[in-house]
Amino acid sequence: MAFLIPENRKGKGMVYLHNFYLNPMFDPSGPRPGADAHNCTVGYVSEYKPPSLYPGVNLTTINDGDGFAQVPHPGLPRETPLVLAANTYADEGGRPLHGSWLECWGYDRSGTWRTLGGTNGGMSAEFTIPGERKEPPQIVFRAPGKAGQRINMWCIFVGAKADYEELQLLAPGSPFAGNLMPLPLGGGWLKRRRLAVRAHRSDWVVAA
């Protein structure tokens, strides 16, 4: 995938960004982590009435111990540096029994199934999915380690570090799910941010 990023943000170039997370708006017609949940219940902010502009997911632990929900992602790029990112808010004292709130699970080069990358909020360190294995990696949402505690996660992102950093310049804190075409000169960052929040796809083409 090629990226065209201008040398300065006042130029006339275009920026192509991609979020490889399959369902950033947690639409019920797409894959959602609740279909495969272990020791936790899963709720979706997108189902609130009225619906939230920042759709996300929450996991509440059923019994003390490890809890998680996962979504297979066969289309994640292999042999390409990726990052995970999310906004998170947990009940006071809440923490996962193992690992991080948001993780990518997959096979490493030794053939061991393990966590390849993870974040407790914000952007993770870069990680790479080896190309020699056919099994699809999983994007995993972990629940707190104590019964009754809840974690909320939104603005889920999986993709290139440069894309996430560009997104933070364009619309910090907004969900990255949309197809945003160029606005006329002077259209304004606030207008772009509002459009970004309302969009419903996982690619953006944005004015530089």
Side-chain angles (χ1 to χ4, degrees):
M1 179 171 57
F3 302 94
L4 179 59
I5 301 176
E7 292 184 1
N8 66 75
R9 303 197 56 78
K10 295 182 180 180
K12 296 182 180 180
M14 300 296 295
V15 181
Y16 178 73
L17 308 179
H18 190 90
N19 184 2
F20 289 98
Y21 186 71
L22 288 175
N23 189 6
M25 307 303 283
F26 295 94
D27 191 293
S29 64
R32 302 196 295 184
D36 189 7
H38 303 264
N39 191 34
C40 64
T41 59
V42 182
Y44 306 98
V45 179
S46 53
E47 295 178 351
Y48 287 3
K49 303 296 183 183
S52 170
L53 289 178
Y54 294 86
V57 63
N58 54 69
L59 283 72
T60 304
T61 304
I62 298 172
N63 300 304
D64 287 1
D66 195 19
F68 58 91
Q70 58 201 43
V71 180
H73 272 62
L76 289 184
R78 310 299 176 95
E79 305 296 349
T80 301
L82 301 172
V83 297
L84 293 167
N87 293 341
T88 62
Y89 179 79
D91 287 350
E92 185 175 355
R95 58 179 56 87
L97 185 66
H98 305 291
S100 305
W101 293 125
L102 184 68
E103 298 179 329
C104 179
W105 292 0
Y107 283 101
D108 64 16
R109 298 194 187 281
S110 70
T112 301
W113 180 261
R114 66 175 184 85
T115 301
L116 301 176
T119 178
N120 285 316
M123 185 178 69
S124 74
E126 288 184 308
F127 62 94
T128 301
I129 301 171
E132 55 265 28
R133 298 297 294 249
K134 302 297 184 183
E135 296 85 353
Q138 311 269 342
I139 300 301
V140 178
F141 300 76
R142 283 196 181 272
K146 296 292 184 180
Q149 289 188 325
R150 173 178 291 190
I151 173 67
N152 301 281
M153 288 181 267
W154 66 104
C155 295
I156 308 302
F157 176 89
V158 186
K161 179 180 178 181
D163 282 21
Y164 185 72
E165 291 176 341
E166 184 70 20
L167 172 64
Q168 299 316 298
L169 294 175
L170 174 69
S174 296
F176 182 13
N179 185 6
L180 183 60
M181 296 306 294
L183 294 177
L185 187 63
W189 296 115
L190 180 59
K191 183 177 180 181
R192 295 173 195 217
R193 180 170 179 171
R194 288 171 178 164
L195 287 172
V197 170
R198 290 199 298 266
H200 292 281
R201 292 184 39 150
S202 59
D203 294 329
W204 277 5
V205 180
V206 301

